[in-house]
Protein backbone atom coordinates (compact mmCIF):
# COMPACT_ATOMS: atom_id res chain seq x y z
CA UNK A 1 0.00 0.00 0.00
CA UNK A 2 1.25 3.44 -0.95
CA UNK A 3 1.64 5.46 2.30
CA UNK A 4 0.78 8.68 0.44
CA UNK A 5 -2.70 7.29 -0.27
CA UNK A 6 -3.52 6.50 3.36
CA UNK A 7 -5.97 9.02 4.77
CA UNK A 8 -6.22 9.97 8.43
CA UNK A 9 -9.56 10.74 10.05
CA UNK A 10 -10.03 12.12 13.55
CA UNK A 11 -13.18 12.26 15.67
CA UNK A 12 -13.15 14.64 18.58
CA UNK A 13 -15.43 16.36 21.05
CA UNK A 14 -16.03 20.03 20.32
CA UNK A 15 -17.27 22.71 22.67
CA UNK A 16 -17.35 26.44 23.16
CA UNK A 17 -16.02 27.55 26.52
CA UNK A 18 -13.05 26.42 28.59
CA UNK A 19 -9.89 26.16 26.50
CA UNK A 20 -8.87 22.61 25.68
CA UNK A 21 -8.01 21.06 22.30
CA UNK A 22 -10.99 21.56 19.95
CA UNK A 23 -12.71 23.72 22.56
CA UNK A 24 -12.74 27.45 23.12
CA UNK A 25 -13.54 30.27 20.74
CA UNK A 26 -14.14 29.59 17.04
CA UNK A 27 -10.71 31.06 16.26
CA UNK A 28 -9.03 28.75 18.78
CA UNK A 29 -10.87 25.73 17.40
CA UNK A 30 -9.76 26.64 13.88
CA UNK A 31 -6.15 26.90 15.13
CA UNK A 32 -6.53 23.35 16.47
CA UNK A 33 -7.96 22.17 13.14
CA UNK A 34 -4.96 23.69 11.35
CA UNK A 35 -2.55 22.00 13.76
CA UNK A 36 -4.12 18.58 13.14
CA UNK A 37 -4.10 19.19 9.38
CA UNK A 38 -0.39 20.05 9.57
CA UNK A 39 0.17 16.64 11.17
CA UNK A 40 -1.57 14.90 8.28
CA UNK A 41 -5.19 14.64 9.41
CA UNK A 42 -7.40 14.72 6.31
CA UNK A 43 -10.85 14.61 7.89
CA UNK A 44 -12.20 15.75 11.26
CA UNK A 45 -15.58 14.75 12.63
CA UNK A 46 -16.82 16.94 15.45
CA UNK A 47 -18.76 15.32 18.28
CA UNK A 48 -20.73 18.18 19.90
CA UNK A 49 -20.61 18.09 23.68
CA UNK A 50 -24.32 18.24 24.46
CA UNK A 51 -26.66 15.50 25.57
CA UNK A 52 -30.06 17.18 25.19
CA UNK A 53 -31.71 18.09 21.91
CA UNK A 54 -31.98 21.87 22.46
CA UNK A 55 -28.33 22.47 23.42
CA UNK A 56 -27.21 19.95 20.78
CA UNK A 57 -29.03 21.78 18.00
CA UNK A 58 -27.63 25.12 19.22
CA UNK A 59 -24.13 23.65 19.11
CA UNK A 60 -24.63 22.22 15.61
CA UNK A 61 -25.97 25.57 14.37
CA UNK A 62 -23.05 27.42 15.94
CA UNK A 63 -20.52 25.04 14.37
CA UNK A 64 -22.22 25.54 11.01
CA UNK A 65 -22.29 29.32 11.25
CA UNK A 66 -19.06 30.14 13.10
CA UNK A 67 -16.57 27.40 12.21
CA UNK A 68 -17.42 25.76 8.91
CA UNK A 69 -17.45 29.00 6.84
CA UNK A 70 -14.03 30.00 8.20
CA UNK A 71 -12.56 26.54 7.64
CA UNK A 72 -13.10 26.62 3.88
Amino acid sequence: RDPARIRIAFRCPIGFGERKPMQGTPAQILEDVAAYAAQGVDHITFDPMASEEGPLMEMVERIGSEIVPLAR
Side-chain angles (χ1 to χ4, degrees):
R1 183 183 242 195
D2 179 4
R5 295 188 55 153
I6 296 173
R7 300 290 172 231
I8 300 172
F10 178 64
R11 181 178 176 183
C12 62
I14 184 173
F16 299 98
E18 183 181 340
R19 181 66 179 131
K20 297 177 184 174
M22 295 296 184
Q23 297 183 37
T25 66
Q28 291 170 322
I29 293 168
L30 288 169
E31 288 174 9
D32 294 338
V33 169
Y36 280 93
Q39 295 300 315
V41 174
D42 299 299
H43 179 87
I44 295 176
T45 300
F46 292 128
D47 188 4
M49 295 175 49
S51 58
E52 295 183 19
E53 183 178 347
L56 176 62
M57 293 310 298
E58 289 174 19
M59 176 88 57
V60 170
E61 288 176 10
R62 193 165 176 196
I63 292 167
S65 67
E66 296 181 33
I67 296 190
V68 173
L70 298 175
R72 293 184 173 175

